[in-house]
């Protein structure tokens, strides 16, 4: 026989009713707000241009990229691992950062469809040789494709310092030429599985 609680005492909630109620609420929320896996998973690697610090303002290109995908009806996950001042070649940390990010993704059962790489401006700024820098960039591409991702390697943007430094201008030009030449040798093949 169940006793009635005394005045001021609280009755202990029935655990079974509480669990059933919680399951009902969670199910209702999932029906009302279904989760959706992204159509594309994109990882963006680079320096301040990727991080978004340009002209003293914080505005990564990934914001505009996500907006364009959304306008096209494509649900996309974009992870930005740009770090201001970073370099492709040691002592730069792009390679270990990329390796770590891809390992973390695999532990979470996440596969990046694309890795976008915009790097090298800081290397060129300290007069690294374009061929050596390109070799470092290709290592980043290899790591990304081993993960199963497509790679989009972006050319170096125009840089105001180029006008004052002929060595820098020649290295930027050679670096961009190496990226473009390699891209033409390895054309992107579109298949149904990548959209």
């Amino acid at each position: 026989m169940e006793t009635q609680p005394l005045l001021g005492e609280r009755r202990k909630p029935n655990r079974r009713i509480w669990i059933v109620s919680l399951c009902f609420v969670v199910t209702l929320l999932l029906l009302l707000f279904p989760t959706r896996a992204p159509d594309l998973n994109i990882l963006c690697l680079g320096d301040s241009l990727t991080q978004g610090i340009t002209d003293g303002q914080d505005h990564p290109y990934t914001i505009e990229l996500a907006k364009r995908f959304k306008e096209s009806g494509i649900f996309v996950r974009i992870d930005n691992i740009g770090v201001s001042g970073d370099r492709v070649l040691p002592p730069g940390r792009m390679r270990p950062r990329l390796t770590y990010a891809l390992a973390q993704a695999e532990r979470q059962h996440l596969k990046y469809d694309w890795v976008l790489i915009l790097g090298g401006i800081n290397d060129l700024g300290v007069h690294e040789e374009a061929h050596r820098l390109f070799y470092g960039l290709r290592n980043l591409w290899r790591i990304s494709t081993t993960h199963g991702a497509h790679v989009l390697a972006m050319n170096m943007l125009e840089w105001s310092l180029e006008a004052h430094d002929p060595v820098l201008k020649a290295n930027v030009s050679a670096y961009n030429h190496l990226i473009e030449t390699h891209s033409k040798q390895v054309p992107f093949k579109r298949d149904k599985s990548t959209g």
Side-chain angles (χ1 to χ4, degrees):
M1 179 170 173
E2 189 175 317
T3 60
Q4 294 294 322
L6 299 175
L7 191 61
E9 281 186 2
R10 292 186 68 168
R11 179 179 256 177
K12 290 184 178 180
N14 183 326
R15 183 177 214 130
R16 182 184 296 171
I17 292 173
W18 187 83
I19 291 172
V20 169
S21 298
L22 180 63
C23 289
F24 174 76
V25 169
V26 169
T27 302
L28 183 63
L29 287 173
L30 288 173
L31 289 172
L32 292 174
F33 307 103
T35 58
R36 176 180 166 198
D39 299 320
L40 287 173
N41 294 304
I42 299 173
L43 178 66
C44 299
L45 172 71
D47 46 43
S48 59
L49 298 173
T50 301
Q51 184 181 357
I53 300 174
T54 54
D55 297 328
Q57 296 182 358
D58 187 14
H59 188 78
Y61 71 83
T62 53
I63 292 172
E64 185 65 25
L65 185 63
K67 181 179 158 189
R68 297 284 176 105
F69 274 113
K70 186 176 182 179
E71 289 169 355
S72 299
I74 299 171
F75 181 52
V76 63
R77 172 189 174 144
I78 300 176
D79 294 327
N80 184 337
I81 59 171
V83 173
S84 181
D86 202 3
R87 292 166 51 183
V88 172
L89 298 174
R93 306 276 309 145
M94 277 194 202
R95 183 177 177 163
R97 209 158 20 93
L98 175 62
T99 303
Y100 178 79
L102 294 177
Q104 285 290 97
E106 288 173 6
R107 279 193 277 287
Q108 297 170 8
H109 306 287
L110 169 68
K111 180 194 166 292
Y112 287 107
D113 301 294
W114 285 92
V115 175
L116 282 54
I117 302 173
L118 176 57
I121 198 163
N122 296 312
D123 300 88
L124 292 171
V126 295
H127 295 290
E128 286 289 355
E129 199 268 328
H131 286 350
R132 186 169 181 270
L133 178 56
F134 181 70
Y135 178 78
L137 183 67
R138 284 187 43 190
N139 282 333
L140 298 177
W141 297 350
R142 183 188 48 76
I143 292 166
S144 302
T145 57
T146 299
H147 172 76
H150 298 288
V151 175
L152 177 62
M154 294 178 261
N155 282 6
M156 195 60 47
L157 303 171
E158 287 185 20
W159 198 11
S160 61
L161 293 176
E162 291 177 54
H164 307 292
D165 187 341
V167 173
L168 178 60
K169 185 173 185 166
N171 270 334
V172 169
S173 178
Y175 183 61
N176 283 341
H177 178 73
L178 288 166
I179 292 171
E180 291 165 10
T181 302
H182 185 78
S183 297
K184 289 176 183 171
Q185 293 171 358
V186 186
F188 171 66
K189 293 181 182 172
R190 186 181 183 117
D191 63 42
K192 292 177 184 170
S193 66
T194 60

